[in-house]
Amino acid sequence: MSNIRDVTKPASGLRRTRAAPSASQIHRDRPSQEHKELSVMTSIGILGAGRVGTNLARALAAAGHHVTLGLRDTEARSTPPAEGTEIRYADHATTARTAEIVINATPGDSALNRLTALQAELADKILVDVSNATVDAADGLPGDLCYPGSSLAEQLQAALPGTRVVKTLNTMLFMVMTAPATLSAPPTAYLSGNDEQAKKAVAGLLDDLGWDPAWIEDLGDITTARATEAMILVVPHILRRHGFTPFAVSLAR
């Protein structure tokens, strides 16, 4: 995997004749929002109200989407995660049933059972899987894969044949998902899925989160998710050395 690197640090041994533009510079050079075609607002349900789910909810609501944050209990909350945004709260079944696109931000080691129970609610929906199914090491960081030789995304697609599963955003710390331009070099968001239209819809959501189209790498069908899910095994080593400094495991060209 010589073409995979931590984008927060330059590759050693490389000489450049001129400085490459940073991700933030590239983002600034993109057309301003008022000159872009208006995005289609979508109803989005996010399963999982931890750091990943809440971070995505805030950003997607700020982009104008109708967001419901799914809780494991049925307790309704009236205070949105971020001031000025309107985010609804509901149980998982209601969240999945009422959304056009559903994001799985639940813990990967239990996601398959949890989402299989929502097969009826997820029928005919796009399911965006951003989780990694891992067995934790003694220090609580990922130590091994739950589905070696496969992937959580593949398991979800097999268990939910009426749902279009797309894997993405699982190769970075959660804060990079919604602020990719803050890194010193362009990160990569990989896409895996069987349905081309579903992947295009997810790419549109990534655009709303600040992802330049050039930073999105469509790997192919859902079986390619096993490659990106395996990338999680490098993450604990980086975290032990550098802490939770934002980074992504990206493709350098």
Side-chain angles (χ1 to χ4, degrees):
M1 298 174 65
S2 59
N3 61 337
I4 304 294
R5 66 181 179 89
D6 175 3
V7 299
T8 62
K9 291 187 176 294
S12 59
L14 296 181
R15 298 180 60 187
R16 293 175 177 167
T17 56
R18 60 179 180 179
S22 67
S24 58
Q25 181 62 52
I26 293 173
H27 187 70
R28 287 195 299 270
D29 290 343
R30 296 174 64 193
S32 60
Q33 185 64 38
E34 57 267 27
H35 291 99
K36 292 174 62 181
E37 182 178 351
L38 293 177
S39 298
V40 177
M41 298 303 106
T42 306
S43 61
I44 299 172
I46 301 176
L47 305 179
R51 292 182 298 182
V52 174
T54 300
N55 184 50
L56 288 169
R58 289 171 175 168
L60 290 169
H65 295 286
H66 304 291
V67 177
T68 300
L69 196 56
L71 308 174
R72 277 186 280 185
D73 55 51
T74 57
E75 178 183 357
R77 300 184 186 182
S78 58
T79 304
E83 183 178 353
T85 62
E86 294 296 333
I87 298 175
R88 295 178 55 209
Y89 291 87
D91 58 72
H92 280 184
T94 302
T95 300
R97 185 174 59 252
T98 57
E100 298 170 80
I101 296 177
V102 180
I103 298 175
N104 172 41
T106 65
D109 59 347
S110 57
L112 182 59
N113 288 338
R114 183 176 294 114
L115 272 65
T116 299
L118 300 174
Q119 183 174 14
E121 289 83 359
L122 290 170
D124 300 320
K125 305 293 178 67
I126 295 174
L127 176 64
V128 186
D129 179 31
V130 303
S131 295
N132 288 298
T134 59
V135 179
D136 289 345
D139 59 2
L141 294 176
D144 206 349
L145 301 175
C146 289
Y147 306 108
S150 183
S151 64
L152 173 60
E154 290 175 80
Q155 298 294 315
L156 288 170
Q157 186 61 84
L160 303 167
T163 303
R164 295 172 287 167
V165 179
V166 178
K167 188 81 181 190
T168 193
L169 295 181
N170 62 307
T171 55
M172 62 202 70
L173 291 191
F174 73 93
M175 63 284 285
V176 180
M177 295 178 177
T178 59
T182 59
L183 297 184
S184 61
T188 305
Y190 304 96
L191 289 178
S192 298
N194 295 338
D195 189 284
E196 296 300 322
Q197 291 303 314
K199 286 190 285 188
K200 288 180 181 179
V202 174
L205 291 184
L206 294 179
D207 181 75
D208 289 339
L209 294 175
W211 287 87
D212 190 285
W215 305 345
I216 301 172
E217 187 76 19
D218 187 343
L219 297 179
D221 67 28
I222 200 66
T223 64
T224 63
R226 66 183 66 177
T228 59
E229 290 191 26
M231 291 179 187
I232 190 66
L233 297 180
V234 76
V235 170
H237 306 296
I238 296 173
L239 294 181
R240 291 183 185 109
R241 290 179 62 85
H242 302 287
F244 280 84
T245 302
F247 74 92
V249 183
S250 296
L251 181 67
R253 289 191 174 92

